[in-house]
Amino acid sequence: MTLGRVVRNIERAQAEVIDGLGQCGVSTVHEAQGREGLLSSTLRPIYPGARIAGSAVTIFAPPGDNWMLHVAIELLRTGDVLVLQPTSPCEDGYFGDLLATSAMARGCRGLVINAGVRDVRELGEMGFPVWSKTICAQGTVKATLGSVNVPVVCAGAMVEPGDVIVADDDGVCVVKRADAAEVLAAAQERERNETTKRARLQAGELGLDIYRMRETLAAAGIRYE
Amino acid sequence: MTLGRVVRNIERAQAEVIDGLGQCGVSTVHEAQGREGLLSSTLRPIYPGARIAGSAVTIFAPPGDNWMLHVAIELLRTGDVLVLQPTSPCEDGYFGDLLATSAMARGCRGLVINAGVRDVRELGEMGFPVWSKTICAQGTVKATLGSVNVPVVCAGAMVEPGDVIVADDDGVCVVKRADAAEVLAAAQERERNETTKRARLQAGELGLDIYRMRETLAAAGIRYE
Amino acid sequence: MTLGRVVRNIERAQAEVIDGLGQCGVSTVHEAQGREGLLSSTLRPIYPGARIAGSAVTIFAPPGDNWMLHVAIELLRTGDVLVLQPTSPCEDGYFGDLLATSAMARGCRGLVINAGVRDVRELGEMGFPVWSKTICAQGTVKATLGSVNVPVVCAGAMVEPGDVIVADDDGVCVVKRADAAEVLAAAQERERNETTKRARLQAGELGLDIYRMRETLAAAGIRYE
Amino acid sequence: MTLGRVVRNIERAQAEVIDGLGQCGVSTVHEAQGREGLLSSTLRPIYPGARIAGSAVTIFAPPGDNWMLHVAIELLRTGDVLVLQPTSPCEDGYFGDLLATSAMARGCRGLVINAGVRDVRELGEMGFPVWSKTICAQGTVKATLGSVNVPVVCAGAMVEPGDVIVADDDGVCVVKRADAAEVLAAAQERERNETTKRARLQAGELGLDIYRMRETLAAAGIRYE
Amino acid sequence: MTLGRVVRNIERAQAEVIDGLGQCGVSTVHEAQGREGLLSSTLRPIYPGARIAGSAVTIFAPPGDNWMLHVAIELLRTGDVLVLQPTSPCEDGYFGDLLATSAMARGCRGLVINAGVRDVRELGEMGFPVWSKTICAQGTVKATLGSVNVPVVCAGAMVEPGDVIVADDDGVCVVKRADAAEVLAAAQERERNETTKRARLQAGELGLDIYRMRETLAAAGIRYE
Amino acid sequence: MTLGRVVRNIERAQAEVIDGLGQCGVSTVHEAQGREGLLSSTLRPIYPGARIAGSAVTIFAPPGDNWMLHVAIELLRTGDVLVLQPTSPCEDGYFGDLLATSAMARGCRGLVINAGVRDVRELGEMGFPVWSKTICAQGTVKATLGSVNVPVVCAGAMVEPGDVIVADDDGVCVVKRADAAEVLAAAQERERNETTKRARLQAGELGLDIYRMRETLAAAGIRYE
């Protein structure tokens, strides 16, 4: 394991692509890239309504040790999202309002952490969104090295530094950097398509008819009584 | 198992009884019918403050397959509540804003689902309440039949089509259709009774005195020090 | 086990110390006393934004039996917080709006319960905060004695009657009564210290420099690429 | 809720049908009745290797209260299986070696309990199998009535008194009393069918060929590389 | 928090009292001391059949850091049991066959750990019993101080150094050192009492009659049908 | 997502390297490769004592759909291990004794599945080991394509086809194919080193002295009392 390794420079996707993905949101983006890259639904936002996208700066941190967050913050650029995975399951509060102040000062858009977070009222007041496994006041130490900007499996999904993170009330999704533009196009196409369908459904038309399901249901043996 | 079975016509309780139960709320209704019919507290509302009652249109759906939701929506009448139980435990997002648009167009009051839901921000904006096991962007397929309007055990409670579903911030409760009027009467009686007690408690009187517990506590051997 | 035992008179910390701890909040107080006394993060507030501190009136109650809550309410003084631990794991709704009315009438500031609570909408409207393991409409009986104002291990932390309970969006922390003044001083010192650091971080200075971590990271073998 | 209700006499399936179902085992019986009636996989045997079937004597018991087990034991006949569901989630040890001694003296074949059990080493030595949610030394009281031989939803499945319970290392399944003979026939047919298939698979033939899946896979769009 | 504190000398209960408690087992001892002192049932033995008692040498260890185990092992005396509680929830494998070899060499009877353990096959072959929260190969570091022989809340129960730990297939129970002799007497009395009852139940007598429950059931309103 | 994609030919590590890793076991191999590649400890063996290593044939399967297992079995070579990850969380029993018969006929050494398995008694009798998330009799359908021999994140670890899977009572670990020989060498070195230490510890020497911890503990501020 590459503990102690810090990669200073990573490639990022284009800013307008990232922002476009953020506007589409997690569920649409996840569909648009073939239902790939969803992080576990055990990660939840600390307050409702946030919707972000940004470039992943990844952190692989020992349990109960947030030393590497300080290292990572130095590497943040405007538009980045911190992604922290502990090396083994942990629920400690790795991150609070001081770290958020520092991250915001460097243009960070939010944190995705498969562990705990604290000072959540202050984070809400600051408008710094976090998707975490839990909320926990338990602090951490700074004693053991982890790594920064290495590939991590975070909450069940592979995240590489510079991948695009999309997060909202539906959860968190990762888009590979190289696929970002193509996924955005597919997501926007999907949105246009949904707008039409939404109007038809609102008018009372049925999915059974719009999607022509009556025949396939009958073929599958459905029995109405 | 009657997979592939769809019952078109179900009996429903009287509209005013249903609405009355909704006004009483889950905790009162659950008490009024002898602490019966509570669904597991693992089902939680996707936003606070909703309080509904409606007739159950039940769905028994394969894991990760929401085909039957389309079938069920055709059978909805104004005042109905969709109740979906997967045939085995599943956390996928079976339902989102398009299906909600369609369900609302047919007068549906909400969804109770022992699985996942997505597009929760949009659902909140539309005012379509959902009580679910989780929030998850993971989509579903349309490949395998389930059943609609058959009895299901949903989150630990037996729900038959046409039973009354009551749901609010305290959870979800089912009232058997045939018992609905009687349960409403008991619930309203209970509310009247609580109003009196609330006033006495607010005035500083103690439950120990109102419920005459001092003697039974003493008989049970309580020791004050 | 001292079931059936009720201690009428307990010592409490000074009112201004208690209130000061409440203003500092859980994460700061927990740090200030050396990361002691945090209750499990499985206890969550029923609504966001509440921040309280008060003297613990403890309840050790059988599963599904809230008789002792009535006994405890008689012993409440203004500024107290009820702390209920079941004698074995339980998720029933021990507490609702009637008990809250009674507790508020006696000056109670909130409830910490390692079990369930109900009538949460009403509790929110009343402004009576609760930190609980779950929200559940399931009611309880009044058949078996527990104890009041005895030491309890609640959600993993030892709580003695009269200890100071601090609770907010970050969770719940207990401060030993005898240590309360000293912990408050340390917490306030910590807050002053954080104010300075927050300003420096906001100005773009890095934790790496403020905390002089570059040397220790290098000594630990960090490798930048 | 019919707490306090005890039904003395229940109908049972034929002994040879029950025993036949026990020989088929849970997975086969569950398939044979159309994947109906499986209890949650959270119920696990306290020791490996037991395989039983018997008529359900059902118990609906308050949390932490095993009074009704004594009432149920009087109603046991040779070949019965006790099925206990608490009225709300509970992990206490409702049942130990003394109750098992009593139940065995009346011909009981085992216990299915959506709660805890204790004295598990002794139960193993006695050869009294239990499928439970947990193992827990925490005892129970005898203070509040429940019911015996009423329909219960146990671990997610509806169980009526006299239904056939099948339990082995794969879990627990319930077969409706009226369907038992028909399900047995289907299960035995299934076993004969599997014997042939097992031999072919053992000889190296592939499921792809035995079940003629190559065409359907191709039609579904499978792409070999 | 007293991290870094190590108490060399602790008082222990009498060896014959400890051994007597071990022979009674967890469920009996827990009952005999009034249902006090049970650790959470989430702690499970790594192999069936072990039954031990010993004096607690307690360890309060940072998450993912087993340095203090080495410190504690030096303090072990024949007949002791190691009790490890992490300072925040952790599932890492703090302990394996090398530490067990060392602990056995000093007469240690087993380990109770509210975290993970590894090398479980080797531990079984060595006959070194462990009750743990999980089994996990993830190793730990030696970077941060914890404490040894300080009071800890372990898996929900307060354990003080020198308290008697009883552990078997039913779980883990702690007996306060000062109460050990008295609890042993009560446990042995309880065992004698159970022997008589077991014989009567085996002979077919009913608990309903032995415990004279028919009258109390009737008084509580039981209704036979 | 590459659903419907099947890669026929994959590279595998050398047989003697694979077998050597299996003899070292999970905990040693995991340490030897720098604590990388451990699957979540929620995967547990269905019976104790199995210790295997083999080349991963990976399956990415829809929830409740085991069609791809049939496809994968055709691609098995002697010494392979099946690794199944569902596309979303699922606990169904994807695999039973018929599939095991077929897999064994092709030389398969075991199954690692982040979902359920059934027929566990038969699997134990056949000596076919499985590490699974749960044991569940619930069957699956064959309606929707997944993929075979594509990279999967299984239980939190990235597994590529042909990687070496090591599994025993401590859990499951994956070794990258290209690293296998090097990891084996490190693991064997580690074993040799442990043999020496084990002897010294058995003789009563302390880890404090063997690892020269007394100075570092003192430097960290340990306080003996």
Side-chain angles (χ1 to χ4, degrees), chain F residues 131-197:
Chain F
W131 286 258
S132 71
K133 185 181 171 187
T134 194
I135 292 167
C136 182
Q138 177 78 36
T140 50
V141 298
K142 299 174 209 323
T144 306
L145 294 185
S147 291
V148 175
N149 278 336
V150 296
V152 292
V153 173
C154 181
M158 169 61 71
V159 181
E160 299 198 72
D163 282 350
V164 184
I165 300 295
V166 186
D168 62 19
D169 290 341
D170 283 351
V172 184
C173 185
V174 58
V175 179
K176 287 188 190 310
R177 187 176 55 79
D179 301 344
E182 190 184 350
V183 170
L184 175 59
Q188 289 172 334
E189 171 60 27
R190 195 175 171 86
E191 284 202 328
R192 277 188 295 273
N193 185 12
E194 290 201 345
T195 304
T196 318
K197 276 186 197 145

Side-chain angles (χ1 to χ4, degrees), chain F residues 58-225:
Chain F
T58 64
I59 305 166
F60 198 46
D65 193 310
N66 75 348
W67 212 5
M68 287 300 120
L69 265 161
H70 291 276
V71 174
I73 284 173
E74 186 182 28
L75 308 181
L76 285 171
R77 293 202 194 153
T78 295
D80 283 351
V81 173
L82 289 163
V83 176
L84 188 150
Q85 170 68 21
T87 58
S88 63
C90 184
E91 308 202 345
D92 290 349
Y94 279 78
F95 189 92
D97 70 330
L98 285 184
L99 282 168
T101 299
S102 185
M104 283 184 89
R106 302 187 84 79
C108 183
R109 291 185 174 169
L111 166 68
V112 172
I113 178 166
N114 194 10
V117 64
R118 60 182 182 174
D119 300 332
V120 293
R121 185 161 84 166
E122 291 75 9
L123 295 176
E125 288 164 359
M126 296 163 68
F128 187 87
V130 178
W131 286 258
S132 71
K133 185 181 171 187
T134 194
I135 292 167
C136 182
Q138 177 78 36
T140 50
V141 298
K142 299 174 209 323
T144 306
L145 294 185
S147 291
V148 175
N149 278 336
V150 296
V152 292
V153 173
C154 181
M158 169 61 71
V159 181
E160 299 198 72
D163 282 350
V164 184
I165 300 295
V166 186
D168 62 19
D169 290 341
D170 283 351
V172 184
C173 185
V174 58
V175 179
K176 287 188 190 310
R177 187 176 55 79
D179 301 344
E182 190 184 350
V183 170
L184 175 59
Q188 289 172 334
E189 171 60 27
R190 195 175 171 86
E191 284 202 328
R192 277 188 295 273
N193 185 12
E194 290 201 345
T195 304
T196 318
K197 276 186 197 145
R198 192 174 291 109
R200 291 174 68 181
L201 293 165
Q202 208 154 15
E205 229 178 317
L206 284 168
L208 289 180
D209 298 313
I210 295 177
Y211 307 107
R212 296 176 188 276
M213 291 175 179
R214 294 192 193 274
E215 298 75 17
T216 45
L217 284 164
I222 201 167
R223 302 179 305 283
Y224 280 93
E225 300 175 15

Side-chain angles (χ1 to χ4, degrees), chain A residues 38-71:
Chain A
L38 192 66
L39 277 69
S40 167
S41 62
T42 50
L43 298 194
R44 295 297 304 145
I46 58 168
Y47 56 83
R51 172 168 285 189
I52 66 163
S55 303
V57 167
T58 64
I59 305 166
F60 197 45
D65 192 309
N66 76 348
W67 212 5
M68 287 300 120
L69 266 161
H70 291 275
V71 173

